[in-house]
Amino acid sequence: MSLSYALLGLLSGDRPMNGYAIKALFDEAISHVWQAKLSQIYRELDALEAKGLLVSSIEEQRDRPSKRLYRATEEGKKAFLDWLGSVPESYASPKRDEFMLRLFFGSLAGPELVAREFRGFLGHMREHRASFENLHSHLAERFPGDPAMERADRICREDRYCEFIRRRAVLLAEASIAWAEECLAELEAEGDGRA
Amino acid sequence: MSLSYALLGLLSGDRPMNGYAIKALFDEAISHVWQAKLSQIYRELDALEAKGLLVSSIEEQRDRPSKRLYRATEEGKKAFLDWLGSVPESYASPKRDEFMLRLFFGSLAGPELVAREFRGFLGHMREHRASFENLHSHLAERFPGDPAMERADRICREDRYCEFIRRRAVLLAEASIAWAEECLAELEAEGDGRA
DNA sequence: CTGGACATGTAACAGGTTACATGATTCT
DNA sequence: AGAATCATGTAACCTGTTACATGTCCAG
């Protein structure tokens, strides 16, 4: 359900967007908040248009293939604002963490295997943290001349809520790194003791 | 895919389990790691039995309705251990966080609405943290005389990897709480300044 | 002229949710 | 008699992933 509101929100602005560009925006700006495949985005845009919450038009381009631009209708904008103003049913996001599930079976895997996984996890989280510490979107570069993308880029840089989101990503990554380092040290200390 | 391995892992032990009890174990022990509905668990158990990775048998009980006990076959145990030993494709769990998505649209919602959401989020996270700080499963109480559940309870209390998982949940909750308090303070300070 | 970025889609499948149906047993 | 817990399932639906198909335009 939330994906449709994300789309309505992005398309409620004064700048219409096409599916491909929305996908790029998802990937660069909110991939750690919400992710979606292109095929799902196209399907959802279709469904929203069928419901009358979006309208689309074809824009021909000289130097590139033409694209289908979507914008929210008044009804679509209202649906989005209603959602935004509603009380969320839950603040808990669905948890499906393969690494943690593997860790749950750690005693069946053995300390060496678990230690290996912790190293992989640490590598991933350090990369993740670095990518958010010096976050800067390249949307304007990738889509030169596209006002919607320039606007999105600017929002990502200047908007306080985007900054909140960025800060949380960094803090959570740091907490995970500290945790994993501690666990790994514990496992390795034991390994040395035995060897 | 991971749900099937979670089930195979739980049923690879010497104690067979029924779907209903597995659901209870999911909820009490690993709900923040992996969650699943009863209907999905039954469907998955069915599929795994059809593949020959599980076998089931009916156990009649005097005081309660009879139940279908599942256990992993040798092939099932092998499939589980293969998975456990394999290198995970990714350490990133899929992100779909409604609260963060709403925050992303914060400038369209306005500071008051966002502040309200932060308060809701804080309430949820504080509860969440408390529930993990004094974590103790009630499985043995809920299923008296069930050896599988007594075993699960003991593992949750004693297993080092379960302790790792618990610690991470607490640390992440604390990081989220600190972050949200800071953001909320920033929003409220601005509100006072204006008023 | 080939590969890559841009662009839009379809179809099939896998994974997850909701709603419904059924029934045993125990407790009040 | 009615509610609560234990217990198993089915069907429909929604959401998300994978694979495939098609085509434009530009740069090397």
Side-chain angles (χ1 to χ4, degrees):
Chain A
M1 206 67 291
S2 288
L3 173 60
S4 37
Y5 294 113
L7 295 173
L8 288 174
L10 294 176
L11 298 169
S12 283
D14 47 348
R15 298 301 177 187
M17 271 191 268
N18 59 319
Y20 190 85
I22 291 171
K23 168 61 173 163
L25 201 159
F26 263 73
D27 289 348
E28 293 222 16
I30 54 174
S31 64
H32 60 296
V33 163
W34 205 276
Q35 51 188 82
K37 306 279 176 188
L38 244 183
S39 58
Q40 197 189 359
I41 290 171
Y42 282 127
R43 185 216 269 159
E44 202 66 38
L45 288 171
D46 236 42
L48 290 170
E49 191 172 22
K51 279 185 201 163
L53 303 179
L54 293 179
V55 279
S56 71
S57 58
I58 301 291
E59 190 197 50
E60 312 253 337
Q61 302 181 109
R62 312 143 226 111
D63 52 340
R64 290 177 190 192
S66 42
K67 56 193 186 184
R68 180 181 295 273
L69 291 176
Y70 287 90
R71 76 195 68 219
T73 61
E74 286 311 310
E75 210 186 331
K77 289 176 192 178
K78 191 183 171 305
F80 169 70
L81 290 174
D82 284 352
W83 171 76
L84 201 55
S86 71
V87 178
E89 322 86 75
S90 164
Y91 290 97
S93 57
K95 293 278 175 195
R96 254 160 230 118
D97 191 322
E98 185 181 338
F99 171 59
M100 285 297 121
L101 184 62
R102 284 165 177 271
L103 188 55
F104 178 74
F105 291 115
S107 53
L108 298 177
E112 294 81 14
L113 217 58
V114 176
R116 195 187 72 187
E117 295 225 7
F118 266 116
R119 284 181 209 108
F121 177 75
L122 273 168
H124 172 262
M125 289 309 285
R126 285 177 181 138
E127 234 180 83
H128 184 70
R129 175 185 54 181
S131 79
F132 281 111
E133 272 175 344
N134 48 352
L135 179 70
H136 53 287
S137 149
H138 305 278
L139 288 171
E141 293 167 41
R142 282 185 57 192
F143 298 84
D146 185 330
M149 294 320 235
E150 278 166 20
R151 180 169 151 275
D153 242 21
R154 189 166 32 73
I155 288 174
C156 284
R157 273 196 313 278
E158 296 169 13
D159 187 272
R160 68 186 316 176
Y161 303 103
C162 285
E163 174 60 18
F164 284 172
I165 291 171
R166 203 196 112 264
R167 248 150 60 184
R168 185 181 187 217
V170 173
L171 287 174
L172 289 188
E174 279 167 356
S176 274
I177 289 167
W179 165 79
E181 281 170 344
E182 208 186 295
C183 294
L184 186 56
E186 211 177 302
L187 289 174
E188 284 174 340
E190 185 198 78
D192 294 345
R194 276 190 191 171
Chain B
M1 208 66 294
S2 288
L3 173 61
S4 36
Y5 294 112
L7 294 173
L8 287 175
L10 293 177
L11 298 169
S12 283
D14 47 347
R15 297 301 176 189
M17 272 191 267
N18 60 319
Y20 189 84
I22 291 172
K23 168 63 173 162
L25 201 159
F26 263 73
D27 289 347
E28 293 222 17
I30 53 174
S31 64
H32 59 297
V33 163
W34 206 274
Q35 50 187 86
K37 307 277 177 188
L38 244 183
S39 58
Q40 198 188 358
I41 290 170
Y42 282 128
R43 184 214 271 160
E44 202 65 40
L45 289 171
D46 235 40
L48 290 170
E49 189 172 24
K51 279 186 201 163
L53 303 179
L54 292 178
V55 280
S56 72
S57 58
I58 301 290
E59 191 197 52
E60 313 253 337
Q61 303 180 108
R62 312 141 226 111
D63 53 340
R64 291 178 188 192
S66 43
K67 56 192 183 184
R68 180 180 294 273
L69 291 176
Y70 287 90
R71 73 195 72 219
T73 61
E74 286 311 310
E75 210 185 331
K77 290 177 191 176
K78 191 183 172 304
F80 170 69
L81 290 173
D82 284 353
W83 171 76
L84 200 57
S86 71
V87 178
E89 322 87 73
S90 164
Y91 290 97
S93 56
K95 292 277 174 194
R96 254 163 230 117
D97 191 322
E98 186 180 337
F99 172 60
M100 286 295 121
L101 184 63
R102 283 164 176 271
L103 188 55
F104 177 74
F105 290 115
S107 52
L108 299 177
E112 294 80 13
L113 217 59
V114 175
R116 195 188 72 189
E117 295 224 7
F118 266 116
R119 286 183 207 105
F121 177 75
L122 272 168
H124 172 263
M125 288 311 285
R126 286 179 180 134
E127 233 179 84
H128 183 69
R129 175 185 53 183
S131 78
F132 281 111
E133 271 174 347
N134 49 351
L135 178 69
H136 53 287
S137 151
H138 306 278
L139 289 171
E141 292 167 41
R142 282 184 58 189
F143 297 84
D146 186 329
M149 294 319 235
E150 278 165 19
R151 180 169 152 274
D153 243 20
R154 189 166 30 75
I155 288 174
C156 283
R157 273 196 314 278
E158 296 170 12
D159 186 272
R160 67 185 318 176
Y161 302 104
C162 286
E163 174 61 19
F164 284 171
I165 290 170
R166 204 196 111 266
R167 247 150 61 183
R168 184 180 188 218
V170 173
L171 286 174
L172 289 187
E174 280 168 354
S176 274
I177 289 167
W179 165 79
E181 282 171 344
E182 208 186 294
C183 293
L184 186 57
E186 212 177 301
L187 289 174
E188 284 175 339
E190 184 197 80
D192 293 346
R194 275 188 191 172

